[in-house]
Structure formats: structure tokens, C-alpha cells
Amino acid sequence: MRIYPKGDSALTVISDREPSRQLTHEINEFRLEILNQDMPFIDEVIPSESSLMVVYHPYSMMMNHNINEPYKFMTEFVERIIYQKKKDLNHREVIKKSILIDVVIGGKYGPDFNHLTNLSEEEQRQVLESRTYFVSMIGHTPGCPYLSGLSHRLYSDNCNYKQFIPKGSLCIEKDKLFITTTDTSGYWPVIGWTNVDIFDRKSSECKLKFGDDVILNVVDDLPSKDGGYKPCQ
């Protein structure tokens, strides 16, 4: 792990390892341990699949907590957390949730599914459903989960046209899947849809959290909770 400054109020911890399920779980453990310290001058701890950004308030550290060198203090603090958590992780299994999500694939729910590869529709469905994915990033729209673990047989470049993408759509961005949490538009291939509320706007709670394992259960149909589904156009 390498630590770099990110402006004057944040630092980034970057791993040299290739992104993987294990690395994602380790980063999540580091994140939770930093948050558990409950330091009032730490604003956010933002994870990604191979890095972690810690946002802090240097002015508050100097004026209210007698910390004269905020970046040095934060660097040493984060290094201690990582060192200790690595020792802990060597002696126990990482705890994670495994969540089943029902999705419908193809047709009006996934207009780009049949154009991904030269595989038959049934073969593509089997490849998609056979994997266990993991949440490696949250972003793009509020609470939008990116799922790593997509088979290389289904990797896809962007579409050459922009389309309407309804909330709950299962999309591909190169080597990852993501599930939209709002109506949006873009060039991503749309391959399916779920009626599961991934993100609750009122509570800002996300059903899928960083590091969770996800299993996609392909079904023939799903009821729409809002009384109607707007197809991609």
C-alpha cells in the first residue's frame, strides 16, 4: 500500500495488487476500522476496488486538536490501521454478505443483451448467471453499485448510440456490471432490469454495500412497483 496526498485535505491509499474480491474486502476492512476510530476531523472515507481516500479537516486538527502537521498525523494514523488490520485478517476469515438479486434479461428490459457476443441467448444467460459478483465501487448515481466478476466472454464496449436507461437497469461498463438507481441516459449496453430498490433516497441507505457478494437470479418476469416500466429507447 502506498499513501499519497490528495490536495491539502485528503490522502489516497493505493494498492499495487490487481483488483480482486480479496483486495476489495481488505480495503473495506481498513475503511470500517478508520470510521470506528470516530475521529471528529475525518469527514469521509471513500473506497474503490483498489484504493481508499480519506478526507479530513486540517484546520480543525490544528485549531481544535493541537495537531500541527495534519498530513503527517493522518499518514501515520492510516499506516497503523492498515498494519494492524492486515495482522488481524491473517488470522480470520473476512465476513461478508451474499445477496440474491432477481433480474429479467433481454427483450424490452435489456435491448442490448442479444448484441453482446456471438454466443446464443441461452449461453449468454448461463455465463451471466453462473458468476458470483462483488460490489467493488459505489458511484455514477447515488448508491449505484458496480459489480466486478463479469466473465471476459461478456465484456463490452459502449453502444454507438445514446439511450434512455430506466432506474433498476442492469448495464455493462467494459468489465463490470452496474445497476442504475435513477432514470438516466447514456451509451452503456443495457442487458436487463430489476425491481429491487437498490437505493433508498429518504434514508440514503444502499441495499448493496461495498464488498458484498452478489448473485444474479435470472427470472422470466418481474412486477413493476411503480405501476409501469418505461422501455429503453
Side-chain angles (χ1 to χ4, degrees):
M1 292 279 191
R2 292 171 290 149
I3 300 178
Y4 297 100
K6 191 77 171 177
D8 59 2
S9 60
L11 60 82
T12 302
V13 185
I14 301 176
S15 173
D16 293 323
R17 291 155 55 190
E18 288 293 321
S20 67
R21 175 180 274 101
Q22 181 61 33
L23 179 57
T24 295
H25 292 320
E26 288 178 14
I27 287 173
N28 194 39
E29 289 278 324
F30 303 153
R31 169 182 168 269
L32 293 175
E33 186 62 27
I34 291 170
L35 292 173
N36 286 340
Q37 301 303 307
D38 199 26
M39 291 196 170
F41 45 78
I42 293 180
D43 189 22
E44 287 185 282
V45 184
I46 305 169
S48 73
E49 59 183 350
S50 60
S51 67
L52 190 71
M53 185 166 72
V54 183
V55 182
Y56 55 91
H57 293 280
Y59 181 79
S60 175
M61 294 169 73
M62 291 185 290
M63 298 301 294
N64 302 322
H65 302 279
N66 199 30
I67 300 172
N68 295 322
E69 298 181 83
Y71 176 71
K72 180 181 178 182
F73 177 91
M74 290 302 301
T75 300
E76 292 174 350
F77 165 70
V78 170
E79 285 176 340
R80 287 196 302 272
I81 293 291
I82 292 173
Y83 176 74
Q84 184 59 52
K85 293 307 292 183
K86 279 186 174 181
K87 287 175 61 178
D88 293 346
L89 290 169
N90 287 335
H91 295 92
R92 68 176 176 84
E93 184 179 354
V94 174
I95 299 173
K96 58 184 182 297
K97 292 192 298 181
S98 187
I99 298 172
L100 185 73
I101 300 290
D102 290 338
V103 296
V104 288
I105 298 298
K108 69 175 184 178
Y109 297 102
D112 303 306
F113 184 68
N114 296 333
H115 311 298
L116 285 177
T117 69
N118 292 326
L119 299 175
S120 69
E121 182 176 343
E122 182 59 31
E123 288 173 325
Q124 287 188 164
R125 173 174 170 161
Q126 289 175 357
V127 171
L128 182 72
E129 197 174 19
S130 66
R131 314 284 289 194
T132 297
Y133 304 91
F134 64 98
V135 181
S136 58
M137 289 190 293
I138 301 287
H140 172 56
T141 58
C144 174
Y146 278 78
L147 310 179
S148 291
L150 183 67
S151 169
H152 69 277
R153 302 171 78 186
L154 298 181
Y155 284 15
S156 178
D157 292 326
N158 286 348
C159 301
N160 56 8
Y161 56 90
K162 191 172 186 178
Q163 60 183 327
F164 171 73
I165 303 176
K167 172 186 173 183
S169 292
L170 182 66
C171 306
I172 293 181
E173 184 170 357
K174 296 183 179 179
D175 62 343
K176 293 181 180 64
L177 297 169
F178 68 91
I179 302 173
T180 57
T181 54
T182 62
D183 289 350
T184 186
S185 61
Y187 294 88
W188 304 285
V190 181
I191 65 171
W193 178 76
T194 180
N195 64 351
V196 174
D197 285 330
I198 300 295
F199 180 71
D200 186 327
R201 286 183 169 275
K202 292 182 179 179
S203 64
S204 295
E205 285 292 318
C206 188
K207 183 178 180 64
L208 301 180
K209 296 188 171 55
F210 183 78
D212 285 348
D213 279 354
V214 177
I215 299 170
L216 299 178
N217 180 44
V218 179
V219 297
D220 293 330
D221 195 20
L222 285 172
S224 174
K225 291 185 177 181
D226 59 9
Y229 178 81
K230 292 191 280 186
C232 297
Q233 298 175 3

